Amino acid sequence: MRRFEDKRVLITGGARGIGQATADRFASEGARVLIAGRLGDVVEQTAGEIGRKHGTQVLTCAMDVSMKADVEGMMTVVGEHMGGVDVLINNAGVCYTTPFLDIPEETWDQIIGMNLKGHFLVAQAVAREMVKARSGVIVNMCSTNGLVGEANYAPYNASKAGILLLTKTIALELAPYGIRVNCVSPGAIVTPLSAAPGDESLSDEYIRTHIPLGRTAQAEEVASVFAFLASDDASFITGESIVIDGGQIAS
């Protein structure tokens, strides 16, 4: 499929994990991709690998989504090299496992800042340009942690619940401009973000007990949902969260 031929796709947190798989998916379908992330060397390496694989140039931007100046700089790069954004995959985020009573204020601020404030800053900056074009798609990264509680993840859970309601709110406000806004909510999936040292939440026993399909998801399976929501196949879907969890929260 070449559903995104010459479409301009911006992916934050695109250097590793789900972001990397999503960048690869859009590039494979003909998109002009720009991946942004904090680790400039990793971003460049990933862009080079994807570019060589698909015979295309993948643009890059080293930036921190929680910093407004960085977001503004990213939009300058977008304007100079892409001329705009047709699809935003708002994926950047961070997560730490800490019992509620032990969470330092700086950890709370970092997670809320990176996840929720970062989604707000990037979505707002991109949406202002999409409004001028009266078209565009924004897909945010939520989580099943934004739908149900999970111990030891208070700031992460709060950030993802915020992203869910942010998604629904801006979907309502941007619909008159022909802009669709949705989010994806993965459950158990092994990525560099989820595979924290000492974290047993994805043990074989946990998977057998809690996930009806009996396995974790692959990053490519989440990328395929990002691609679906960004495509014309989802042209009448906005303000929704698509859960990708193998049935984990169905009961």
Side-chain angles (χ1 to χ4, degrees):
M1 293 186 293
R2 303 282 289 186
R3 293 177 296 180
F4 303 104
E5 196 74 47
D6 294 327
K7 292 290 186 181
R8 301 161 298 181
V9 179
L10 169 62
I11 302 171
T12 66
R16 298 184 294 190
I18 293 171
Q20 179 179 5
T22 302
D24 184 85
R25 177 61 181 262
F26 277 98
S28 75
E29 293 199 40
R32 297 168 56 196
V33 175
L34 188 155
I35 60 176
R38 288 182 297 166
L39 303 176
D41 55 341
V42 181
V43 170
E44 291 289 345
Q45 179 181 349
T46 298
E49 292 172 356
I50 294 174
R52 288 188 293 273
K53 179 178 178 181
H54 300 290
T56 187
Q57 181 185 17
V58 177
L59 300 172
T60 64
C61 180
M63 53 85 67
D64 183 335
V65 296
S66 68
M67 305 296 292
K68 186 175 182 180
D70 281 16
V71 174
E72 292 172 346
M74 179 187 69
M75 294 307 297
T76 298
V77 173
V78 166
E80 291 176 352
H81 297 283
M82 299 177 73
V85 177
D86 299 301
V87 176
L88 165 64
I89 304 299
N90 215 358
N91 171 68
V94 65
C95 177
Y96 300 116
T97 305
T98 310
F100 175 69
L101 297 179
D102 299 329
I103 298 169
E105 181 181 1
E106 56 268 25
T107 297
W108 177 275
D109 290 344
Q110 181 187 11
I111 294 175
I112 296 296
M114 181 68 67
N115 295 2
L116 183 54
K117 180 184 176 182
H119 267 62
F120 156 68
L121 289 175
V122 174
Q124 185 184 64
V126 172
R128 284 173 172 161
E129 298 303 314
M130 288 181 171
V131 163
K132 297 175 186 177
R134 302 192 72 84
S135 68
V137 177
I138 297 172
V139 190
N140 294 324
M141 173 59 87
C142 192
S143 170
T144 54
N145 288 66
L147 305 172
V148 296
E150 184 175 4
N152 301 321
Y153 288 93
Y156 183 74
N157 296 349
S159 73
K160 293 302 182 177
I163 289 170
L164 176 62
L165 268 295
L166 176 67
T167 297
K168 290 180 177 291
T169 302
I170 62 179
L172 296 176
E173 294 192 35
L174 297 179
Y177 301 97
I179 301 166
R180 295 189 297 105
V181 187
N182 294 290
C183 63
V184 299
S185 295
I189 175 169
V190 178
T191 70
L193 183 62
S194 67
D199 185 359
E200 299 298 327
S201 62
L202 297 181
S203 66
D204 291 342
E205 180 180 357
Y206 179 91
I207 292 168
R208 287 193 301 269
T209 304
H210 293 90
I211 305 176
L213 286 183
R215 64 175 179 86
T216 59
Q218 299 297 312
E220 290 76 14
E221 292 175 298
V222 182
S224 70
V225 180
F226 272 125
F228 163 69
L229 288 172
S231 75
D232 290 340
D233 293 333
S235 59
F236 204 56
I237 300 176
T238 197
E240 293 296 327
S241 171
I242 305 299
V243 175
I244 314 163
D245 72 344
Q248 183 175 356
I249 65 171
S251 60

